[in-house]
Amino acid sequence: DKFWNRVMFPIMDVNNRVIGFGGRVMGDGSPKYLNSKETTLFDKSRNLYGLNFVRENIKKYKTAIVAESEKSCLQYSTMFGQDKNIVVAACGSTFHKYQLDLLIKCGAERVLIAFDKEGKTWEEKEKYFAKLKGICEKYKNYCTMGFVYDNSNLLKLKQSPFDCGPEVATKLISKGVWL
C-alpha cells in the first residue's frame, strides 16, 4: 500500500467533498509527501488543501497564505487559532493561476507564498528566490502577491515557515517580500 506509515489528510474541494488524499511519511522516508493519483476530480493545480475551512477568514482578512503542505495549515491553526487561520496548501511546491482564482473568489486581495526553505549553496538559494519571485511576478496583475524568504536563517533546509513556532512564523510573515 503506497500510503503505508503515513499521516493521511483528506483533501476536500470548496464544497467539503473529499476529492483525494495527501499522505506525509512518519520518520524518514521518500517521498516525504504523497498525494492521490491525479484524476478529473482531483487535480492538484485546481485545488487548495484547507480552503473549505478558511474561506470565510480569507474573506474577512482579505489575505491568504499559501504553504506547500497540509501540515503547515494545521500548524498555523494550532499556533494562531482557527478563527485567524488564512493558510491553505498547494499540495506541492508550485502555485497555479486556477488556485489563485479560487483565492480571489474567496475575497483575497493579498496572497503570500510561504513554501518550505530550499537551497544549501548560495546558487541554490538564488534559484529558490527567483522561483518564488517568478510565481509572484506571474500573478501580480491579479492581486497583491508576496513571498516569505528566510534571509535571516531562522529555518533549516526544507523547514516550513510554521515549523519553528509562532514567533518565527510571525517574524517571517511580517518580513514577506511584496511585489
Side-chain angles (χ1 to χ4, degrees):
D1 181 42
K2 73 179 189 174
F3 289 116
W4 175 255
N5 202 29
R6 292 178 183 272
V7 175
M8 298 301 297
F9 300 94
I11 299 171
M12 299 180 201
D13 65 13
V14 292
N15 297 311
N16 294 318
R17 296 178 296 207
V18 176
I19 57 171
F21 292 92
R24 186 183 195 287
V25 72
M26 297 301 297
D28 294 330
S30 185
K32 186 159 114 179
Y33 289 97
L34 187 63
N35 291 313
S36 294
K37 181 179 175 184
E38 293 209 31
T39 65
T40 52
L41 185 61
F42 176 62
D43 178 348
K44 287 191 315 184
S45 69
R46 301 176 77 76
N47 292 288
L48 291 162
Y49 174 82
L51 184 60
N52 57 315
F53 296 119
V54 301
R55 64 180 169 189
E56 290 303 316
N57 290 346
I58 290 171
K59 182 178 182 179
K60 178 180 175 180
Y61 297 110
K62 300 185 182 333
T63 302
I65 298 174
V66 180
E68 280 186 42
S69 72
E70 300 90 339
K71 178 185 72 122
S72 295
C73 295
L74 298 175
Q75 286 173 309
Y76 188 94
S77 180
T78 300
M79 289 187 291
F80 300 106
Q82 184 59 27
D83 61 324
K84 293 184 176 84
N85 192 358
I86 54 172
V87 176
V88 295
C91 300
S93 59
T94 192
F95 184 65
H96 300 274
K97 173 65 169 70
Y98 191 85
Q99 292 170 316
L100 178 64
D101 290 342
L102 289 172
L103 294 174
I104 290 171
K105 284 179 187 175
C106 290
E109 295 175 6
R110 295 166 32 108
V111 174
L112 184 69
I113 306 297
F115 287 170
D116 297 359
K117 185 174 184 173
E118 292 181 17
K120 288 182 182 178
T121 66
W122 183 84
E123 291 84 11
E124 289 172 341
K125 289 177 186 175
E126 286 297 307
K127 185 177 176 183
Y128 176 63
F129 180 85
K131 170 188 164 180
L132 295 175
K133 187 175 180 190
I135 291 170
C136 294
E137 288 283 347
K138 187 174 179 180
Y139 301 128
K140 72 179 184 181
N141 292 333
Y142 301 99
C143 69
T144 303
M145 294 291 302
F147 60 93
V148 169
Y149 185 71
D150 177 27
N151 59 1
S152 302
N153 290 317
L154 300 172
L155 302 175
K156 294 178 183 161
L157 189 65
K158 297 294 183 187
Q159 278 189 318
S160 156
F162 311 108
D163 284 343
C164 296
E167 296 82 18
V168 170
T170 300
K171 186 179 281 190
L172 289 170
I173 291 167
S174 69
K175 292 184 178 209
V177 179
W178 292 95
L179 303 183

